[in-house]
Amino acid sequence: MSFDEIIDRRGTHCAKWDKMEPIYSVPVDTGIAMWVADMDFRPPQVVQTALQDMLGHGVYGYFGDDSKYLGAIQWWMENRHGWKVAPEWIFTTHGLVNGTAMCVDAFTKPGDGVVLFTPIYHAFARVISAAGRQVVECEMALEGGQYTLDFDAYDAQMTGNETMLIFCSPHNPGGRVWSKSELEHVAAFAKRHDLILVSDEIHHDLVMPGHKHTAMALIEGINDRLVMMTATTKTFNIAGCHSGNVIIPDPKLRAIFAQRVAAMGLSPNSFGLFMATAAYSPEGAAWVDDLVSYLDGNRQIFDAAIQSIPGLQSMSLQSTYLAWVDFSGTGMDRSEFTQRVEKSAEIAANHGPTFGKGGENFLRFNIATPRARVEEACDRLRDAFKDLQ
């Protein structure tokens, strides 16, 4: 496919475009939606064909015999990530926000502390708080334009009430691909404080050239307290199917999670299973390789534009399609630089404070859109901050 094709998503029940005006006051007819983390691209043809085959059959009953689905997940994890997964480790949830909520429900109790290295994906804090648990924000250090983890500081913060750590790898919103050494330190921290480690790796397929993601499950000595979360949804732009995988190697943890799944009567929808089975294939892999190359081109264009504006700094994007832009160098308060982006440039971007401590001077921009639109956004941002140049 051509990632350059402009697909009009307005008026299609699309959260990213149709909610832009009511939430950000960015007009839908002239604005650019760069907030919700889905892409403005169609998924690979192999996924479209799977759905067309379902439509052609015309009967949408309960899904049975998930061996091909589970086999596709196993094939993908081993071939793309060097991680061998047993089929009995795999649970399918209603997306990974639901998967996160299920983990909080299964492995913690009301009042427990759940640790987040902030800034981090905003939905985590939301589900933790909604479940009556305490959000424990451990702010990351910003060194040389990248986030680093300060475990001495985090050790000092722990009170003994914490029971879980939710970790984002690769990192959202900063785009960091954590090194194996950093992951080993995360694992050691979880063991030191007896925390269940939930590793959200939903962006693990979208890694820029020159970087390599390591699955947390490959870190020695952590699997007895590890929950892995992966999905096809970000990789293939099929988030609307609300399908994610919670993968638990340890049998004791797996039994606890299985009990909660059974108690809540959860089961996946057949559309998501057919789409995931098709996506995790050689055809899907080739499409992802092309996608990452295209996203890398968008990244270079967007970063160059941001860096050309005095006072703005785009964090070097190692993974994901979410650019994390620091406006602190402008000397403006948050309301001023946000207004310039939303009112002058007519761009909707995620507000940094929603990602927790450390996000106050940032906005997050989704660059997974046709290149012409990225270039237009760059022109608008340069114009909105032209007095600084």
Side-chain angles (χ1 to χ4, degrees):
M1 67 162 288
S2 170
F3 295 108
D4 287 322
E5 180 185 356
I6 300 288
I7 301 169
D8 189 357
R9 302 179 65 192
R10 295 170 298 179
T12 63
H13 303 282
C14 169
K16 180 179 177 182
W17 287 87
D18 291 339
K19 289 188 175 181
M20 174 172 62
E21 189 159 6
I23 292 176
Y24 293 98
S25 298
V26 174
V28 70
D29 54 341
T30 57
I32 301 177
M34 302 184 82
W35 61 299
V36 173
D38 68 18
M39 300 186 279
D40 293 321
F41 310 131
R42 292 190 179 94
Q45 185 56 47
V46 67
V47 172
Q48 305 284 48
T49 298
L51 289 175
Q52 288 162 359
D53 289 346
M54 287 184 71
L55 293 172
H57 184 258
V59 179
Y60 313 112
Y62 293 113
F63 191 93
D65 185 9
D66 59 3
S67 58
K68 288 185 179 179
Y69 165 71
L70 296 174
I73 296 169
Q74 291 178 278
W75 178 86
W76 189 268
M77 296 307 160
E78 183 169 2
N79 282 273
R80 302 291 284 194
H81 299 287
W83 174 34
K84 291 187 177 182
V85 174
E88 63 269 21
W89 298 357
I90 303 169
F91 298 87
T92 299
T93 59
H94 187 69
L96 289 191
V97 174
N98 172 245
T100 303
M102 288 291 296
C103 288
V104 170
D105 181 68
F107 300 119
T108 71
K109 64 182 186 300
D112 282 0
V114 179
V115 178
L116 301 176
F117 298 147
T118 63
I120 197 169
Y121 177 46
H122 46 75
F124 294 157
R126 187 172 70 242
V127 299
I128 293 166
S129 297
R133 278 65 165 174
Q134 301 299 313
V135 177
V136 180
E137 295 187 71
C138 292
E139 186 176 349
M140 291 186 290
L142 189 54
E143 297 180 0
Q146 289 289 345
Y147 286 122
T148 60
L149 299 165
D150 183 355
F151 289 102
D152 288 340
Y154 307 154
D155 285 338
Q157 276 190 248
M158 297 300 102
T159 65
N161 188 53
E162 301 81 13
T163 55
M164 176 177 285
L165 165 65
I166 301 177
F167 186 63
C168 209
S169 180
H171 180 246
N172 172 13
R176 269 297 309 277
V177 175
W178 304 106
S179 69
K180 185 177 180 182
S181 175
E182 287 171 316
L183 297 177
E184 289 170 344
H185 280 91
V186 171
F189 175 80
K191 288 189 282 187
R192 196 157 59 243
H193 297 284
D194 195 21
L195 307 175
I196 298 294
L197 174 55
V198 178
S199 187
D200 169 28
E201 307 199 4
I202 196 169
H203 291 282
H204 63 176
D205 294 310
L206 305 177
V207 176
M208 298 298 165
H211 300 279
K212 179 175 173 53
H213 171 78
T214 300
M216 183 65 81
L218 299 178
I219 300 302
E220 187 175 354
I222 193 60
N223 279 351
D224 64 339
R225 62 179 65 248
L226 178 66
V227 176
M228 293 281 288
M229 298 202 303
T230 69
T232 54
T233 50
K234 285 290 183 285
T235 303
F236 298 98
N237 201 36
I238 52 176
C241 76
H242 278 284
S243 181
N245 295 121
V246 174
I247 305 176
I248 307 177
D250 183 76
K252 291 181 180 178
L253 292 182
R254 199 161 61 241
I256 294 169
F257 194 84
Q259 188 276 330
R260 296 307 299 145
V261 169
M264 298 183 75
L266 294 181
S267 60
N269 76 80
S270 59
F271 287 88
L273 300 185
F274 276 114
M275 293 166 81
T277 304
Y280 279 160
S281 63
E283 297 89 344
W287 183 88
V288 171
D289 290 341
D290 289 343
L291 169 68
V292 170
S293 178
Y294 190 86
L295 292 175
D296 186 44
N298 281 2
R299 174 193 65 83
Q300 293 179 50
I301 291 167
F302 188 80
D303 281 357
I306 293 298
Q307 316 302 33
S308 72
I309 303 172
L312 273 62
Q313 180 72 33
S314 183
M315 191 168 285
S316 179
L317 194 63
Q318 300 174 354
S319 181
T320 82
Y321 47 74
L322 303 166
W324 189 233
V325 179
D326 184 357
F327 289 80
S328 61
T330 64
M332 300 176 188
D333 62 26
R334 185 164 58 86
S335 62
E336 182 179 354
F337 68 71
T338 302
Q339 185 172 30
R340 289 189 184 215
V341 171
E342 294 174 357
K343 302 300 182 187
S344 299
E346 294 190 338
I347 295 172
N350 290 98
H351 295 179
T354 64
F355 297 87
K357 289 181 180 178
E360 294 81 5
N361 292 310
F362 287 81
L363 293 175
R364 193 189 73 172
F365 294 81
N366 180 345
I367 60 169
T369 197
R371 188 153 300 158
R373 191 175 280 147
V374 172
E375 292 169 340
E376 170 65 19
C378 290
D379 289 342
R380 292 186 185 193
L381 289 169
R382 278 189 289 254
D383 188 61
F385 293 90
K386 61 186 177 184
D387 56 312
L388 303 181
Q389 298 169 66

